[in-house]
Amino acid sequence: MDSALTLIGLPIALGIIMLGLGLGLTTEDFRRVAQHPKAAVIALVCQVVVLPVICFGLVLAFDLAPELAVGMMLLAASPGGTTANLYSHLFGGHVALNITLTAINSVIAVFVLPIVVNLSAAHFLADGTSIGLQFDKVLQVFAIVLIPVAIGMLIRARVPRVAERLNRPVRILSVVVLVAVIAGAVLGERENIADYFVSVGLAVLAFNLLSLAIGYGVPWAAGVDRRAATAAGFEIGIHNSTLAITIALSPALLNSTQMAVPGAVYGIVMFFTAAAFGYLVTRGGTRPAGTEAPDSRPGQLPPQRRDLV
């Protein structure tokens, strides 16, 4: 874990990932929450409060090893991934709501994630000071995560055409760098990969299924429109495992291959469970009139704005 690829590549990868996120954000993403608060507030409460509590219970129930337990909590504190937008679009969810939730939750995660990881490390690790996000680590998280987001948003606001041109190359570059770093870490731990999957696989699957169920069920029970509930289900059920893996592996942050394992396993499992979830929530047939698939363009709400409340 002390190779030049890891020491240099991971912070760069994380910075590029967050820069790419910032390039896709505008202040309008945040204004939509104030305009249509019900669905957004319910989803954010589930994401920030309910899921970490659920994950903590699963970690205790499955009696995970300390490093894996912290990795699970790191995953629970990670925001929704951009993959949620794609799944929401494919299965008739309210994509504009997904964009809003991703924007708000990504900023909230900058504050919540260090707190969750610190508390988890203090609880699960015998020596909570040896691994975990201490105050200086928290500052590093802000520097590596928040600053690139702010730069990306500034570019989007000042020179939107440049942001549009940079968006795709930045995403590709972040994937290339991250895959190279993760591949190096996996090769170094190849003898233990099967054991890691066995030890954390069921816990990850249970957490993923519960995240999807809570993300959809709670808003739906609260009277939120089905399209908005579908969007919330994907947003809450598909965590940004890439961000969790990067933070876990980065020597500047957690520097732990074991803590990256839950995120890596989750990143594989979620593609199948999300597809199954999408099928289940749409198999009832055609949607009622007025609930057509939303416009997926960032920064716009479909005409049916009332269905978010």
Side-chain angles (χ1 to χ4, degrees):
M1 296 301 296
D2 294 326
S3 66
L5 182 63
T6 303
L7 290 170
I8 300 174
L10 272 172
I12 291 176
L14 182 57
I16 294 173
I17 290 169
M18 301 314 294
L19 174 64
L21 177 61
L23 289 173
L25 300 182
T26 67
T27 54
E28 183 62 27
D29 293 322
F30 299 88
R31 293 193 187 101
R32 285 199 299 269
V33 175
Q35 295 170 353
H36 304 278
K38 185 176 181 180
V41 168
I42 292 173
L44 290 172
V45 169
C46 289
Q47 176 77 52
V48 176
V49 179
V50 177
L51 288 192
V53 173
I54 294 294
C55 186
F56 182 75
L58 289 174
V59 165
L60 295 179
F62 284 93
D63 193 24
L64 297 181
E67 288 79 10
L68 295 177
V70 176
M72 284 288 295
M73 296 304 297
L74 168 62
L75 180 64
S78 298
T82 55
T83 308
N85 296 344
L86 173 60
Y87 273 100
S88 185
H89 174 69
L90 292 175
F91 292 101
H94 207 303
V95 181
L97 177 60
N98 282 105
I99 296 171
T100 301
L101 291 175
T102 298
I104 301 295
N105 204 16
S106 296
V107 176
I108 293 176
V110 175
F111 301 90
V112 173
L113 193 146
I115 296 174
V116 171
V117 174
N118 264 319
L119 293 176
S120 302
H123 180 82
F124 291 110
L125 300 177
D127 183 5
T129 61
S130 61
I131 307 176
L133 295 173
Q134 303 308 310
F135 181 71
D136 60 329
K137 303 291 188 182
V138 174
L139 293 180
Q140 291 174 6
V141 170
F142 277 92
I144 297 175
V145 175
L146 188 57
I147 292 177
V149 171
I151 293 174
M153 290 187 67
L154 182 61
I155 294 174
R156 173 70 181 268
R158 297 292 178 86
V159 279
R161 291 185 179 180
V162 174
E164 291 177 2
R165 293 177 181 176
L166 287 177
N167 193 28
R168 182 177 178 82
V170 165
R171 289 177 183 273
I172 294 174
L173 179 60
S174 65
V175 171
V176 171
V177 175
L178 185 62
V179 167
V181 175
I182 293 176
V186 168
L187 289 175
E189 294 287 326
R190 58 185 178 278
E191 296 180 357
N192 300 318
I193 293 297
D195 293 336
Y196 288 153
F197 200 97
V198 170
S199 61
V200 79
L202 288 178
V204 165
L205 177 61
F207 176 65
N208 186 205
L209 293 176
L210 285 173
S211 297
L212 289 166
I214 291 171
Y216 178 83
V218 173
W220 178 249
V224 171
D225 179 82
R226 183 181 293 274
R227 288 172 56 236
T230 300
F234 282 119
E235 189 68 28
I236 294 172
I238 302 180
H239 293 262
N240 194 335
S241 57
T242 300
L243 182 63
I245 293 169
T246 306
I247 291 175
L249 289 178
S250 177
L253 301 175
L254 293 175
N255 192 28
S256 172
T257 301
Q258 290 88 346
M259 292 183 188
V261 170
V265 175
Y266 186 94
I268 297 172
V269 170
M270 71 177 185
F271 287 106
F272 301 98
T273 55
F277 166 76
Y279 170 76
L280 288 175
V281 298
T282 58
R283 68 175 183 175
T286 57
R287 292 183 291 275
T291 62
E292 290 81 4
D295 189 342
S296 60
R297 290 172 290 178
Q300 295 189 9
L301 275 175
Q304 306 91 347
R305 292 189 174 195
R306 64 183 179 273
D307 62 6
L308 282 180
V309 295

